[in-house]
Amino acid sequence: DVYKRQIEPTLSLLRKKYPERCWGESDFSRVPQGSFSLVVCADVIEHIVDPDDLLYFISRIDFQTCVMSTPDRDTLNNPSGPPRNPSHLREWSFTEFRSYIGKHFQVMDHFHCREPGYKSQLIVFSKTTR
């Protein structure tokens, strides 16, 4: 199963290395219970078949702030073609990503982090007050 190959062996390694922490996986059917000050979704959204499913899942979590990262398509040396990374299903430009997240959440900040050869974009958001 493709999902398991992408999650393992990382999840097992994290559970072994940091057993005092809670490491979970979700198919989006089980929403974490409790209230969270911070949710981090690092370089995940570009791998999801339907990113709306991920955003809906996040919207169901009781959180104050979410930080999400994804590569900036315009800095990947192939801005007009399909993703070069075969595990990326979708990539966004800086402007597209802010617009997309802003349709679902209240964007608090959005900036670049330089990676070797490209820039990641980080967006910080909270639940909308609409």
Side-chain angles (χ1 to χ4, degrees):
D1 161 61
V2 173
Y3 172 76
K4 282 292 183 191
R5 284 195 318 261
Q6 290 177 341
I7 298 299
E8 292 297 344
T10 304
L11 188 58
S12 293
L13 175 95
L14 290 169
R15 285 178 174 154
K16 184 177 179 181
K17 189 170 183 176
Y18 304 103
E20 72 283 2
R21 297 183 183 156
C22 177
W23 299 100
E25 62 181 289
S26 176
D27 61 2
F28 301 153
S29 66
R30 289 177 290 135
V31 177
Q33 298 303 303
S35 182
F36 303 91
S37 58
L38 179 66
V39 170
V40 177
C41 187
D43 290 358
V44 172
I45 195 166
E46 66 271 15
H47 300 276
I48 303 294
V49 172
D50 186 348
D52 286 346
D53 290 345
L54 174 63
L55 296 186
Y56 176 66
F57 174 75
I58 290 171
S59 75
R60 293 170 45 214
I61 299 171
D62 182 9
F63 72 92
Q64 292 176 6
T65 305
C66 182
V67 176
M68 184 178 289
S69 66
T70 191
D72 180 346
R73 185 186 69 224
D74 289 341
T75 67
L76 293 173
N77 300 322
N78 192 29
S80 61
R84 286 191 178 178
N85 183 330
S87 66
H88 288 187
L89 301 177
R90 167 75 196 257
E91 295 168 343
W92 291 263
S93 72
F94 194 78
T95 304
E96 289 170 338
F97 197 56
R98 183 181 183 103
S99 176
Y100 176 60
I101 298 300
K103 289 177 184 173
H104 302 275
F105 299 99
Q106 181 66 44
V107 174
M108 300 159 62
D109 203 355
H110 186 205
F111 54 92
H112 279 118
C113 290
R114 188 167 300 282
E115 301 291 331
Y118 71 96
K119 292 180 182 175
S120 287
Q121 51 182 315
L122 269 69
I123 196 159
V124 181
F125 59 86
S126 62
K127 295 205 177 179
T128 60
T129 56
R130 296 180 217 173

